[in-house]
Amino acid sequence: MLARMSDQGLDPEDRKILTLARSTRARNGVPEGAAVRDETGRTYVAGSVELPSLRLSALRTAVAMAVASGATSLEAAAVVGEAETVPEEDRAAVRDLGGSGTPVLLAGPDGVPHTTLTAG
């Protein structure tokens, strides 16, 4: 499911994960940054990983960090970068932990959200 959105009226916790994702992207000089929020409100932040033997999107890396830290569910996810959509593989990772209704916020490099998807 796809919906257009604006920064106005955005939940403060969703704004927080967008800010964290944007900061990680800028700080690490990577193509995308992502953040996820688990069932307890903890956040996990990551940038994309591009090694000769390992390539992971920022979102899949953030989900992996959440799982490795003991998260059992996700409330929301955010991705900041140039992409206009979130690949199915990334949405599947969110869906595996958060369920099909978990919102995935997508923002441009400026951190302003332009789209929200569900993991399903």
Side-chain angles (χ1 to χ4, degrees), residues 17-105:
I17 61 174
L18 281 165
T19 299
L20 290 169
R22 181 178 184 221
S23 297
T24 295
R25 180 181 184 267
R27 182 178 55 249
N28 296 336
V30 292
E32 62 181 14
V36 297
R37 184 175 62 248
D38 75 7
E39 73 282 359
T40 67
R42 291 179 297 182
T43 55
Y44 306 89
V45 182
S48 45
V49 175
E50 294 190 25
L51 299 171
S53 63
L54 178 65
R55 291 183 182 269
L56 290 173
S57 71
L59 186 53
R60 283 185 275 166
T61 305
V63 170
M65 292 173 66
V67 170
S69 296
T72 59
S73 181
L74 293 180
E75 290 182 349
V79 179
V80 174
E82 298 285 345
E84 291 295 319
T85 191
V86 178
E88 172 54 31
E89 301 86 27
D90 291 8
R91 291 174 43 212
V94 172
R95 188 170 52 244
D96 287 347
L97 190 57
S100 62
T102 304
V104 180
L105 306 167

Side-chain angles (χ1 to χ4, degrees), residues 2-23:
L2 173 70
R4 286 284 177 203
M5 62 185 308
S6 72
D7 194 39
Q8 299 208 339
L10 192 61
D11 178 273
E13 292 299 314
D14 290 344
R15 189 172 283 128
K16 175 183 172 182
I17 61 174
L18 281 165
T19 299
L20 290 169
R22 181 178 184 221
S23 297

